[in-house]
Amino acid sequence: MKAVVYDRYGPPDVLRLEEVERPAPKDDEVLVEVHATTVNRLDVHTREANRSSGLAVMFLSRLVSGLRKPRQRILGSEYAGEVVATGSAVSEFAVGEHVFGNSGLRFGAHAEFMCVRESARITHMPAGASFEEAAPISDGALNALWCLRVGGIHRGQTILIYGASGAIGTAGVQLATYFGADVTAVCSTKNLELVRSLGAGRVIDYTREDFTKDGQTYDVIFDAVGKHSFKRSRDSLNKDGQYLATDGFRNLALALWTSRFGDKKVKFQLPPRYAKKDLVFLRELIEAGKFRAVIDRTYPLEEVVEAARYVETEQKTGNVVITIGER
Ligand SMILES: NC(=O)c1ccc[n+]([C@@H]2O[C@H](COP(=O)([O-])OP(=O)(O)OC[C@H]3O[C@@H](n4cnc5c(N)ncnc54)[C@H](OP(=O)(O)O)[C@@H]3O)[C@@H](O)[C@H]2O)c1
């Protein structure tokens, strides 16, 4: 089968298309023919071994992915495709069914076929969704769901989402709206209409306005893109307000510190825990018309290097999809 592989950490050019052996499902696995996948920030961070985040993070990243070279040669964590074989113990899925899922750090989706345990984060595709629409459902949404749950987001709260146009941000706006919060979204001019259409009651263009200076305060500030800080946000939080982080070791330390001191808290828990039932929840939201994965660009698998370069610009809006095979 065709797969995009890499054998050393580095820039997008380390990726190359190669003919590799097609995997065979174990008793508790299904073999999925992957029709669509994504390039997301997890792929980028893992491929470059988090080089841009400093030596300590790079070392930790390599501890997980392989010290000298990547243990898993095929990246890609999100996928949508068709079940083409099942192990003898599989009961939830049958050949021919359309599924989507998120393999997390096991990766393997930048390939024509992948094996997935039936108990893993895999479920049936939303009714009416195409493979291209289903593949990008989970990355930003699982992350946003995790952060919002860590923050205990609930009806009636006011939340400001900074970086509302990224994979996590576009999901965060929709999920916070679904949970009944009053959402203010912050993004650049070109994405204002999009985030408004996702449910934000108010939008702020950060190229023209600084939300920290307009006197408004919020119960929750969610930094969905890792570009703001607790320090700069603190005065915009209500008493007992929370700053939800997606990134940065300093936020781990701040989470510990503010859990004991002060009336405003940083909430950041690692590693995030994503469950199969969360995928089912997202599918149900999509089928109810309350969620959609925002797609920026779509590339064929053969152009994965260009796709990775684009994701590295940190300027994608929502998600970047990769299609596999002729459809
Ligand atoms: N997705 C993952 O798998 C993953 C995994 C681990 C960690 N993370 C972390 O989670 C954070 C968000 O990831 P993501 O995948 O959602 O990001 P993303 O999709 O790459 O975010 C891109 C968006 O961020 C906005 N942006 C860029 N620079 C900005 C700035 N200086 N201020 C405000 N907005 C800015 C841009 O929109 P505008 O033009 O509208 O500003 C762009 O649309 C990152 O810190 C990432 O490292 C993500």
Side-chain angles (χ1 to χ4, degrees), residues 40-43 45 139-140 143 162-169 186-191 206 223-227 246-247 311 313-319:
N40 59 37
R41 293 279 285 264
L42 182 62
D43 297 316
H45 292 322
D139 170 56
N143 204 315
Y162 189 82
S165 50
I168 297 175
V186 184
C187 61
S188 71
T189 319
K190 69 179 192 298
N191 291 314
Y206 67 78
D223 182 3
V225 74
K227 300 285 186 194
T246 44
D247 221 347
V311 174
T313 63
E314 302 188 359
Q315 291 305 320
K316 70 179 164 69
T317 300
N319 302 277

Side-chain angles (χ1 to χ4, degrees), residues 81-148:
E82 183 173 340
V83 175
V84 289
T86 58
S88 58
V90 169
S91 57
E92 189 182 340
F93 302 102
V95 169
E97 290 180 342
H98 292 180
V99 291
F100 77 104
N102 189 309
S103 57
L105 291 169
R106 289 174 182 263
F107 295 107
H110 289 172
E112 287 180 307
F113 296 90
M114 67 189 293
C115 286
V116 184
R117 271 181 300 115
E118 80 164 330
S119 60
R121 289 182 303 253
I122 178 171
T123 190
H124 295 98
M125 273 178 28
S130 66
F131 294 117
E132 289 82 354
E133 289 165 340
I137 290 171
S138 60
D139 170 56
L142 289 181
N143 204 315
L145 196 55
W146 168 254
C147 292
L148 294 175

